[in-house]
Amino acid sequence: MELAYYSDYAVRLVNTEEPVRGKDHLTSVDAVRGLFGSNQEAARRAADADLTRFRSVRGRLRAVFEAADAGDETLAVNLLNSLLLEFPVSPQISGHNHRDDDGRPLWHMHLADHPSNATAGYAAIAAMGLAFHLTEYGVDRLGLCEAAPCRNAYLDTSTNRSRRYCSDRCATRANVAAYRARKRLEADRSLSTGRTAANAQDSTAATDR
């Protein structure tokens, strides 16, 4: 699996909550299982007790993104390290029965977890994936959407470190809002200029009289 796949575990979990809007989409065991994607074997371990545990891990992962977004690299790393210590994984070489054109296994690194519950397994993979992304690309590649009130987490994979929004939809919404704000400002300035000119004319007329 690609490292980006593992780090996406963290993004998926964090974005099940919209704190500013007061919305929480992690409300059932089925919602928990849906986070595992194609990993159905791990998803089947999810139980009612995992709801509370998943929400706890979600808050800790969001804190990592918030620290990174605020430019506090040390805090982001410390928070992530605490998750790595609590939820360890075992790296293994895997081929998953895939072969190249010559029939040789397509070996790659795989993160194997040995959890006591679904939350431990998910948290281990999410934390390790995020750690790989952070050390490979930098803390500033962990962001929170600037399109208020969204604040969804995202991983910046742009070549020039320019990403500011979690999706094209949020980027469009932010650009439209900025355009409308500029138009309002221009209209206000034009109105103010018109009033100033009118006042000046009235003052000149009064002096002439």
Side-chain angles (χ1 to χ4, degrees):
M1 294 181 182
E2 296 292 334
L3 298 185
Y5 176 86
Y6 288 122
S7 56
D8 190 54
Y9 269 57
V11 174
R12 268 184 277 166
L13 178 54
V14 170
N15 291 346
T16 60
E17 182 183 29
E18 300 177 72
V20 178
R21 293 188 175 105
K23 293 183 178 180
D24 187 346
H25 304 286
L26 200 60
T27 58
S28 67
V29 176
D30 284 341
V32 170
R33 289 172 179 160
L35 291 169
F36 286 90
S38 61
N39 191 352
Q40 291 303 301
E41 182 179 350
R44 281 193 290 270
R45 291 197 297 259
D48 289 338
D50 285 298
L51 266 174
T52 301
R53 291 192 288 252
F54 259 74
R55 287 172 182 153
S56 176
V57 171
R58 179 180 64 188
R60 294 170 66 183
L61 286 170
R62 175 171 282 277
V64 175
F65 279 92
E66 288 175 342
D69 188 64
D72 194 336
E73 296 190 17
T74 301
L75 177 58
V77 169
N78 288 341
L79 290 171
L80 191 49
N81 273 336
S82 69
L83 284 164
L84 292 170
L85 288 172
E86 186 173 345
F87 302 106
V89 295
S90 302
Q92 295 180 349
I93 300 174
S94 176
H96 289 311
N97 299 319
H98 297 307
R99 305 278 172 170
D100 63 17
D101 294 337
D102 296 322
R104 293 175 301 189
L106 294 173
W107 301 115
H108 61 271
M109 291 302 298
H110 175 78
L111 298 183
D113 61 277
H114 308 285
S116 56
N117 55 66
T119 305
Y122 194 98
I125 292 174
M128 183 60 74
L130 204 55
F132 276 133
H133 193 93
L134 185 153
T135 53
E136 180 71 17
Y137 301 108
V139 178
D140 58 340
R141 293 290 189 146
L142 278 59
L144 292 173
C145 187
E146 293 184 12
C150 178
R151 302 303 283 168
N152 269 352
Y154 66 83
L155 299 172
D156 186 0
T157 57
S158 63
T159 56
N160 57 356
R161 299 173 182 263
S162 61
R163 185 170 179 178
R164 298 166 56 200
Y165 308 105
C166 68
S167 64
D168 291 339
R169 179 182 179 182
C170 275
T172 299
R173 183 160 55 85
N175 289 334
V176 170
Y179 173 79
R180 290 174 177 171
R182 286 196 301 271
K183 286 299 182 181
R184 284 196 297 270
L185 181 60
E186 291 172 3
D188 290 343
R189 286 176 175 171
S190 178
L191 182 61
S192 176
T193 300
R195 286 173 177 170
T196 301
N199 290 337
Q201 290 178 351
D202 291 343
S203 177
T204 300
T207 302
D208 290 342
R209 288 197 297 270

